[in-house]
Amino acid sequence: MLSYSDTPIQEIRDPRLRTAGVTLFVKREDLNHPTVSGNKWWKLKYNLTEALRTQYTAILTFGGAYSNHIYATAAAARELNLKSIGIIRGEEVLPRNDVLRFAEEQGMSLHFITRAEYRRKNDQDMISRLNDLFGDFYLIQEGGSNSLALEGISEFGTLLGNNFDYLCCPVGTGATMAGLIRS
């Protein structure tokens, strides 16, 4: 499985916070892995476990040209010796941006589709067409958002405990928030 480093909880000190009577802490999950960091590690954890358990040799996933999920999935697949395929929303632009360049350096094969096609990413006929193009693969939906991702994020939420008044997180697909609520 992917390596994981325990991460610290860091207090953010600022005079404005002190004046407002607020104590702010950040769980530094950006330090949990060199390239598959933050919530992406937790969202991929059980997806990758399942891909390996069921003996898939390739992973296919979806994302935009600046997707952290594409970046993390490419790195994770390389670490686990899995082939990776990224279905990228929109037209191909050269030269590649840093995210897509990194993904290709990790061995990810990039396939660009129109925005109209991308809206059909969950349709069975689209998945069948991708199977015809790329062969057998383990599918991880956009952002890594599925029940296995929720399981991983929920595990992380349980590790956090509940010794706080508010828990804040950014929202993309909503899977991280859903997993935290679940825990």
Side-chain angles (χ1 to χ4, degrees):
M1 193 51 211
L2 293 175
S3 61
Y4 179 86
S5 296
D6 287 329
T7 60
I9 296 174
Q10 180 178 351
E11 183 174 1
I12 306 299
R13 296 176 188 263
D14 185 279
R16 292 168 290 190
L17 294 170
R18 188 173 40 254
T19 300
V22 172
T23 308
L24 177 63
F25 295 92
V26 174
K27 176 74 166 142
R28 294 294 308 273
E29 282 300 288
D30 59 311
L31 303 174
N32 67 9
H33 188 279
T35 52
V36 189
S37 62
N39 68 332
K40 299 305 178 196
W41 191 94
W42 294 97
K43 288 169 89 173
L44 289 170
K45 177 181 181 179
Y46 291 110
N47 277 291
L48 296 170
T49 299
E50 182 64 10
L52 293 170
R53 184 191 71 76
T54 53
Q55 299 181 344
Y56 280 92
T57 59
I59 293 174
L60 182 138
T61 196
F62 297 85
Y66 293 91
S67 168
N68 291 329
H69 173 68
I70 291 292
Y71 184 101
T73 302
R78 180 174 186 165
E79 186 171 320
L80 298 174
N81 295 312
L82 294 167
K83 177 181 175 189
S84 61
I85 305 150
I87 306 302
I88 309 301
R89 176 184 62 243
E91 64 186 35
E92 182 173 14
V93 175
L94 295 172
R96 300 261 192 260
N97 66 44
D98 290 343
V99 169
L100 296 181
R101 186 172 37 256
F102 175 83
E104 283 186 320
E105 288 168 358
Q106 301 307 300
M108 181 176 268
S109 172
L110 302 179
H111 180 74
F112 295 83
I113 61 174
T114 67
R115 293 178 186 284
E117 289 175 301
Y118 197 86
R119 284 190 287 277
R120 297 180 34 241
K121 66 186 175 294
N122 298 320
D123 295 350
Q124 189 53 52
D125 63 318
M126 170 64 94
I127 304 304
S128 294
R129 196 176 106 225
L130 293 170
N131 272 125
D132 291 343
L133 279 172
F134 299 109
D136 204 21
F137 54 76
Y138 182 84
L139 175 65
I140 301 176
Q141 284 296 343
E142 180 180 32
S145 298
N146 60 21
S147 62
L148 293 174
L150 293 180
E151 185 178 337
I153 295 292
S154 182
E155 179 182 336
F156 171 68
T158 300
L159 293 173
L160 284 176
N162 61 2
N163 191 21
F164 48 82
D165 296 320
Y166 298 96
L167 176 64
C168 303
C169 70
V171 178
T173 61
T176 299
M177 186 184 337
L180 289 171
I181 290 168
R182 182 190 216 187
S183 68

